[in-house]
């Protein structure tokens, strides 16, 4: 960890008070202990954490930036506009394995979009105690949504005034609202088991609710002053403490009025006993004990109660700032108490920046479970320095989470744990950012299992590997026919890598030699690289370079180049990690290359099954569009067609269940069957019935939806039939749009006795009939009827001059005379831009020309 608990700069972007106020409101509304708001960056497809309340920023550095296409809740909420509720760690692991790998603690979280007037600004997030299921936090989600809506409205006003509503800085780290009222004062007491005399000072009597001068001074009287549920165990705890076995800190008791108090006990003689000698201690004579009674919270500790404890005690606020430390803590940590308090822990005690401590501290800040572990004190290597107490010894550290504080206890330990703990760095040397170095390789490994294309693999490397090691440049070359070709680049000057495109394996270049030798190459500076490869072209930047071979199961795949802005050295452990990660990248890239090849063949097969050109008619213009899904390799079963049917045209659209070769093959067979029936000009109900029987005979268990329209171009009469398919849309010449309600029947392939009723409608000259598949109108988390409504409005706006009163919404910007192909492109424009479209899309449009304008016109055709 590096950095400080706060931020001194004045950030660009929205006013900090607006953002921090919204996060504070979110925490109050949900009862959460941590909150934050992500805003869009000026960098494309990147969200940045603008405010973080209740957590030390440096400890959570890996989550400062989130790419919009990564499988994280923040990215999903931004893309879909749908809130995400993760009630507990199980839900997180089930839905977001990468996030769970980095934060494997028991807590819940809520994420809601910050959206106003159709504009998405970011995401508001809250971390809270774990719940059994999402139903328990439904009310909190609704209150959080209200806070997000208010923030979005404020950001919308800022944007309208020309102010920036993006964020490109480090996050502002702020304290959350106080969890409760200020604590009371501290009382002291003692007990001598030999005389059974209990002594309470005035504050202790006040905290127990005892009237002045009315305390008998016995252990029995002390037990009567606490809640009956605690009274039976209090004498036993005092007796065990007197025999050398004090309870772990802190011990909670309640007064007879129900007030919560913390009880701290220790041996008043100051003689300590090793825990391993507990049996001998239990047989020794009881010794007097001392203790303090206090309200829970930082105020009580600040009153000096823990100064009396023999253990080292220090307290951290939720930003990692040391707000209290007793003298014993300073002695054990080797840092004077006045140098501890008021500083961030990783600044005051840099040798504690060890993976073990960081992981447990994250857990204490996020979950209610205490943590216990061992750390080893550093050994000073400077011969001129004064030896520090306990250097080289082990400390047993306990962390006790609280609403506003984490209380830490440290005691010397003569037991070396079985787990090997890395030697800490020299005390005066700042530790590296071990949070990122631990988390990012884990996240990279998980993310690579989800990447299926070469481009996705490259994007994962850029988003997960570069931040882990501070890199700024990336180039990935893949091997094809003994030459290396650039597959991905980021951060290099434009055109710099062009001369290296297609270099052979005999070239003396580091990117080639790392692959041919199988050895990674590390250069601490550009000068070192130039000395090793005289005459090599170098970009103008200074910095280090790492060249990693991509070899999968002994087979060369390519090479990976990492660039850094500044000169740096690569430690042996870092070199080992990078080399191992290169192996993961190579396996993922090899799998992706196979995927890309197979996907290209599959797409070619599907395109071959779709019509290359649509049947034409002088009085009918048609336009079709097909968009394959962008997620997964399987081809789909969507299709459309226009077939000559006697003196008319048959308009067909269908969707076979599922994906894959089977769905595509079934689609091809159904398309051929429908074409055969249509060419024979069979009635629509017979076409659908015959196709239904064919599908049942071909593949029992497979089903498909279909819509078939037989159009008479001369009269505009259309006879339509529907088998479980979505209803067509009709845009009238005056701009009105409507959903054509077709009674229809069940999907094809289910019931051999199914009946498909026919509905007649009239297609006026200039009207547009739209047939489509569900991929065009389905969105995660939204009702499909809402998608159909949106498509209807888009059709109203894209089809030509609107009507003066349009029930489908405003369309005043639609220019007249728009071609049908242009309309088809406009209706599919948003879908074309989606990078994570799960389903295929098919769209078929038809319009009828007036008789007087058909002379010399050609009908439109498909893509």
């Amino acid at each position: 960890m590096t950095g400080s608990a706060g931020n001194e700069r004045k950030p660009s972007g929205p006013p900090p008070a607006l953002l921090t106020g919204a996060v504070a409101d979110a925490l109050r509304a949900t009862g959460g202990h941590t909150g934050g708001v992500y805003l869009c960056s000026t960098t494309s497809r990147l969200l940045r954490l603008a405010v973080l309340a209740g957590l030390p920023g440096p400890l959570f550095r890996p989550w400062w930036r989130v790419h919009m296409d990564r499988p994280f809740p923040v990215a999903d909420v931004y893309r879909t506009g749908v809130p995400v509720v993760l009630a507990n760690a199980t839900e997180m692991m089930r839905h977001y394995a990468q996030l769970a790998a980095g934060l494997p603690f028991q807590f819940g979280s809520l994420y809601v979009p910050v959206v106003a007037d159709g504009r998405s600004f970011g995401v508001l997030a809250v971390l809270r105690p774990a719940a059994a299921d999402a139903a328990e936090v439904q009310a909190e989600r609704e209150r959080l949504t209200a806070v997000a809506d208010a923030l979005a409205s404020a950001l919308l006003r800022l944007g309208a005034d020309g102010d920036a509503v993006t964020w490109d800085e480090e996050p502002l780290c702020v304290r959350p609202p106080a969890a409760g009222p200020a604590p009371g004062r501290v009382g002291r007491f003692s007990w001598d088991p030999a005389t059974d005399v209990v002594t309470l000072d005035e504050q202790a009597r006040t905290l127990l609710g005892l009237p002045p001068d009315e305390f008998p001074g016995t252990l029995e009287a002390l037990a009567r002053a606490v809640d009956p549920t605690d009274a039976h165990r209090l004498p036993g705890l005092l007796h065990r403490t007197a025999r050398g076995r004090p309870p772990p800190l802190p011990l909670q008791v309640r007064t007879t009025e129900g007030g919560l108090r913390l009880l701290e006990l220790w041996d008043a003689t100051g003689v300590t006993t090793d825990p391993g000698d507990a049996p001998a201690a239990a047989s020794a004579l009881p010794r007097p004990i001392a203790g303090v009674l206090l309200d829970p919270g930082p105020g009580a500790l600040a009153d000096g109660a823990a100064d009396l404890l023999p253990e080292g005690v220090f307290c951290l606020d939720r930003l990692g700032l040391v707000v209290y430390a007793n003298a014993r803590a300073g002695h054990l940590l080797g840092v004077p108490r006045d140098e501890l308090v008021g500083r961030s822990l990783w600044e005051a005690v840099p040798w504690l920046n060890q993976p073990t401590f960081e992981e447990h501290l994250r857990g204490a800040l996020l979950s209610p479970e205490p943590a216990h572990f061992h750390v080893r004190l550093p050994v000073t290597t400077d011969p001129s320095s004064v030896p520090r107490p306990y250097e080289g010894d082990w400390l047993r550290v306990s962390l006790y989470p609280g609403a506003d504080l984490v209380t830490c206890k440290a005691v010397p330990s003569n037991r070396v744990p079985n787990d090997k703990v890395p030697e800490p760095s020299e005390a005066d040397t700042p530790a590296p950012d071990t949070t990122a170095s631990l988390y990012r390789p884990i996240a990279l490994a998980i993310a690579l299992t989800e990447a299926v294309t070469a481009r996705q693999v490259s994007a994962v490397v850029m988003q997960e590997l570069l931040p882990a090691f501070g890199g700024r440049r990336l180039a990935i070359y893949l091997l094809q026919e003994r030459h290396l070709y650039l597959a991905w680049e980021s951060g290099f000057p434009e055109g710099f890598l062009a001369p290296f495109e297609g270099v052979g394996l005999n070239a003396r270049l580091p990117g080639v030699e790392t692959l041919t030798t199988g050895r990674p190459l590390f250069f601490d500076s550009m000068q070192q690289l130039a000395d090793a490869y005289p005459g090599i072209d170098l970009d103008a930047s200074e910095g280090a370079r790492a060249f990693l071979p991509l070899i999968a199961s002994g087979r060369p795949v390519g090479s990976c180049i990492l660039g850094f802005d500044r000169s740096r050295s690569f430690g042996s452990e870092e070199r080992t990690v990078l080399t191992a990660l290169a192996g993961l990248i190579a396996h993922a890239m090899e799998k992706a290359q196979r995927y890309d090849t197979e996907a290209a063949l599959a797409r070619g097969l599907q395109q071959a099954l779709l019509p290359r050109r649509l049947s034409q008619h002088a009085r009918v213009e048609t336009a079709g569009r097909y968009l394959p899904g962008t997620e997964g390799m399987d081809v789909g079963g969507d299709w459309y067609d226009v077939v000559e049917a006697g003196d008319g045209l048959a308009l067909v659209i269908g969707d076979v269940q599922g994906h894959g070769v089977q769905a595509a093959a079934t689609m091809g067979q159904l398309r051929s069957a429908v074409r055969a029936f249509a060419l024979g000009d069979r009635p629509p109900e017979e076409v659908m019935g015959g196709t239904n029987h064919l599908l049942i005979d071909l593949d029992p268990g497979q089903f498909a939806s279909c819509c078939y329209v037989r159009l008479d171009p001369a009269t505009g009469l259309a006879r339509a039939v529907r088998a479980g398919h979505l209803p067509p849309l009709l845009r009238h010449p005056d701009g009105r749009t409507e959903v054509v309600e077709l009674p229809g029947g069940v999907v094809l392939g289910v019931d051999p006795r199914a009946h498909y009723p026919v509905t007649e409608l009239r297609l006026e000259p200039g009207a547009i009939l739209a047939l489509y598949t569900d991929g065009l109108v389905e969105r995660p988390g939204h009702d499909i009827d809402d998608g159909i409504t949106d498509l209807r409005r888009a059709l109203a706006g894209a089809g030509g001059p609107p009507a003066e009163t349009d029930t489908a919404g405003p369309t005043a910007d639609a220019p007249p005379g728009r071609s049908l192909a242009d309309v088809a492109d406009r209706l599919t424009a948003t879908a074309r831009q989606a990078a994570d479209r799960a389903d295929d899309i098919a769209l078929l449009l038809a319009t009828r020309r007036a008789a007087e304008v058909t002379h010399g016109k050609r009908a439109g055709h498909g893509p």
Side-chain angles (χ1 to χ4, degrees):
M1 293 180 292
T2 58
S4 59
N7 303 80
E8 301 297 331
R9 57 180 166 57
K10 180 180 180 181
S12 59
L18 172 64
L19 301 178
T20 56
V23 173
D25 290 342
L27 295 179
R28 294 189 191 98
T30 60
H33 50 67
T34 298
V37 59
Y38 284 85
L39 296 179
C40 292
S41 167
T42 55
T43 301
S44 176
R45 302 192 64 75
L46 184 68
L47 295 170
R48 286 186 181 271
L49 183 61
V51 171
L52 177 64
L55 290 176
L59 200 63
F60 292 83
R61 187 182 298 271
W63 297 275
W64 286 7
R65 298 157 37 109
V66 174
H67 286 263
M68 295 177 188
D69 54 351
R70 302 303 302 136
F72 284 91
V74 169
D76 283 353
V77 170
Y78 181 85
R79 290 197 315 269
T80 66
V82 180
V84 167
V85 177
L86 303 175
N88 48 51
T90 302
E91 287 296 304
M92 185 191 302
M93 178 60 74
R94 183 178 297 129
H95 299 288
Y96 297 98
Q98 285 189 50
L99 184 61
L103 298 173
F105 311 114
Q106 188 57 255
F107 67 95
S109 52
L110 300 89
Y111 309 84
V112 298
V114 180
V115 180
D117 197 23
R119 181 176 178 184
S120 182
F121 297 99
V123 177
L124 190 60
V126 165
L127 310 186
R128 65 178 310 279
D133 53 49
E136 288 191 23
V137 294
Q138 180 63 30
E140 285 87 345
R141 192 196 80 169
E142 293 175 359
R143 291 194 292 269
L144 183 62
T145 300
V147 175
D149 290 345
L151 174 60
S153 297
L155 293 175
L156 187 65
R157 291 192 295 271
L158 285 175
D161 294 338
D163 295 328
V165 290
T166 56
W167 193 270
D168 290 302
E169 308 289 338
E170 292 185 0
L172 296 167
C173 299
V174 297
R175 288 172 176 78
R185 291 177 291 181
V186 178
R188 293 171 175 81
F189 76 97
S190 63
W191 176 58
D192 187 347
T195 62
D196 194 34
V197 173
V198 175
T199 304
L200 298 176
D201 67 7
E202 180 180 352
Q203 298 299 337
R205 290 195 298 271
T206 300
L207 290 173
L208 290 174
L210 298 173
D213 302 326
E214 292 187 13
F215 180 66
T218 64
L219 182 56
E220 181 182 359
L222 179 63
R224 289 197 303 269
V226 299
D227 187 270
T229 58
D230 296 321
H232 73 280
R233 65 189 181 99
L234 183 59
L237 290 169
L238 293 175
H239 279 289
R240 283 195 292 273
T241 302
R243 293 184 179 275
R245 292 186 296 170
L249 300 178
L251 175 67
Q252 295 185 357
V253 296
R254 293 189 178 274
T255 68
T256 55
E257 301 297 327
L260 179 64
R261 303 290 181 260
L262 296 183
L263 182 64
E264 312 286 359
L265 302 173
W266 65 91
D267 185 347
T269 65
V271 178
T272 59
T273 307
D274 190 273
D277 299 328
S283 63
L285 292 175
R287 291 174 287 197
I289 66 172
V292 293
L293 195 71
L294 58 144
D295 278 349
L301 291 173
D303 279 342
D307 283 340
L308 306 176
L309 299 175
E311 296 91 353
V313 175
F314 57 99
C315 298
L316 308 175
D317 70 1
R318 295 200 64 84
L319 295 188
L321 198 71
V322 181
V323 296
Y324 172 79
N326 66 1
R328 181 67 168 164
H331 184 68
L332 290 174
L333 298 177
V335 181
R337 178 163 61 171
D338 58 355
E339 295 183 16
L340 275 174
V341 178
R343 302 172 67 192
S344 66
L345 182 64
W346 34 93
E347 178 185 2
V349 193
W351 60 266
L352 269 180
N353 295 355
Q354 302 179 27
T356 298
F357 182 78
E358 291 185 352
E359 186 72 359
H360 286 298
L361 181 55
R362 276 194 293 275
L365 289 166
L366 293 176
S367 64
E369 298 298 323
H372 310 278
F373 56 96
H374 287 78
V375 294
R376 193 174 186 182
L377 291 124
V379 177
T380 305
T381 57
D382 185 357
S384 63
S385 63
V386 178
R388 297 171 177 174
Y390 302 102
E391 45 175 60
D393 291 344
W394 292 88
L395 288 181
R396 175 173 169 81
V397 179
S398 299
L399 304 179
Y400 298 94
D404 297 317
L405 289 179
V406 175
T407 302
C408 311
K409 182 182 74 171
V411 295
S413 173
N414 57 7
R415 180 178 66 85
V416 178
N418 294 328
D419 297 335
K420 181 181 178 183
V421 179
E423 290 290 336
S425 57
E426 187 177 347
D428 297 327
T429 303
D433 187 359
T434 52
T435 304
S437 62
L438 280 176
Y439 167 72
R440 288 295 181 181
I442 297 174
L444 174 66
I446 296 175
L448 285 175
T449 65
E450 300 174 350
V452 292
T453 68
R455 184 173 183 82
Q456 289 174 346
V457 171
S458 301
V460 165
V461 175
M462 182 187 71
Q463 295 160 9
E464 302 293 353
L465 183 64
L466 283 186
F469 298 91
R472 294 293 182 270
R473 293 170 173 80
L474 171 70
I476 294 180
Y477 284 87
L478 297 179
L479 181 64
Q480 296 179 21
E481 299 179 352
R482 297 187 59 79
H483 289 78
L484 287 174
Y485 296 91
L486 185 65
W488 182 280
E489 68 166 307
S490 175
F492 284 94
E494 184 177 358
F496 171 73
L497 296 177
F500 303 102
E501 179 72 1
V503 297
L505 295 186
N506 59 346
R508 190 174 184 276
L509 294 169
V512 173
E513 293 191 359
T514 189
L515 180 62
T516 56
T517 64
R519 292 184 294 103
L521 301 175
F522 299 94
F523 300 95
D524 297 349
S525 66
M526 296 295 280
Q527 184 59 51
Q528 192 178 85
L529 175 59
D531 293 342
Y533 292 88
I536 188 175
D537 290 336
L538 302 175
D539 59 285
S541 65
E542 292 295 329
R545 292 288 186 271
F547 297 83
L548 308 175
L550 301 182
I551 299 175
S553 302
R555 296 184 297 275
V557 176
S559 58
C560 177
I561 304 171
L562 303 180
F564 303 84
D565 286 341
R566 293 184 294 273
S567 299
R568 53 163 296 175
S569 59
F570 297 88
S572 58
E573 183 176 350
E574 191 174 27
R575 294 180 182 221
T576 301
V577 171
L578 282 170
T579 303
L581 292 177
L584 289 176
I585 297 168
H587 279 281
M589 193 62 78
E590 184 183 48
K591 180 187 70 175
Q593 287 180 303
R594 290 197 302 268
Y595 170 93
D596 288 339
T597 300
E598 294 170 3
L601 291 174
R603 298 299 181 199
L605 168 64
Q606 188 165 36
Q607 289 294 336
L609 293 173
L610 292 171
R612 295 188 179 183
R613 63 189 302 273
L614 302 179
S615 297
Q616 302 178 22
H617 193 282
R619 293 198 59 178
V620 178
E621 179 185 1
T622 58
R625 296 293 182 267
Y626 172 78
L627 279 67
T630 57
E631 287 188 346
M633 185 192 72
D634 288 339
V635 294
D638 292 20
W639 93 93
Y640 64 87
D641 207 349
V642 177
V643 188
E644 294 181 6
D647 57 355
L649 287 179
L651 311 173
V652 190
I653 198 160
D655 184 0
V656 178
Q657 170 210 18
H659 295 270
V661 174
Q662 181 61 47
T666 302
M667 177 265 282
Q669 291 171 313
L670 291 184
R671 174 175 174 261
S672 297
V674 172
R675 285 187 65 88
F677 288 130
L679 288 170
D681 202 13
R682 302 281 292 276
E685 63 272 25
E686 292 187 19
V687 173
M688 201 64 70
T691 306
N692 178 47
H693 284 96
L694 176 65
L695 180 56
I696 293 174
D697 292 339
L698 284 174
D699 189 359
Q702 181 83 294
F703 61 86
S705 67
C706 184
C707 185
Y708 180 93
V709 180
R710 202 280 189 188
L711 174 65
D712 184 346
T715 64
L717 178 65
R719 304 181 71 240
V721 63
R722 183 167 67 98
H725 202 80
L726 296 173
L729 299 180
L730 179 61
R731 184 188 192 279
H732 295 278
D734 61 1
R736 292 179 298 109
T737 59
E738 64 173 300
V739 177
V740 180
E741 298 296 343
L742 302 181
V746 298
V747 293
L748 304 174
V750 173
D751 183 4
R753 296 170 299 178
H755 174 63
Y756 299 99
V758 177
T759 301
E760 292 188 354
L761 62 146
R762 182 77 58 180
L763 188 64
E764 299 294 337
I768 298 176
L769 184 66
L771 309 179
Y772 53 94
T773 57
D774 54 7
L776 188 58
V777 292
E778 277 189 330
R779 290 178 296 169
H782 291 75
D783 192 285
I784 194 169
D785 289 339
D786 295 335
I788 294 175
T789 299
D790 291 341
L791 180 61
R792 185 166 64 91
R793 289 173 176 166
L795 179 61
E804 294 182 2
T805 57
D806 184 8
T807 60
T811 60
D813 59 342
R818 185 170 291 157
S819 71
L820 201 62
D822 186 39
V823 173
D825 289 338
R826 288 175 176 269
L827 295 182
T828 57
T830 301
R832 290 178 186 275
Q833 296 169 4
D836 54 354
R837 185 177 62 255
D839 204 358
D840 297 350
I841 291 174
L843 172 70
L844 178 62
L845 302 179
T847 187
R848 181 166 160 262
R849 297 191 181 95
E852 61 271 15
V853 297
T854 59
H855 181 70
K857 296 281 186 178
R858 287 189 60 196
H861 53 81

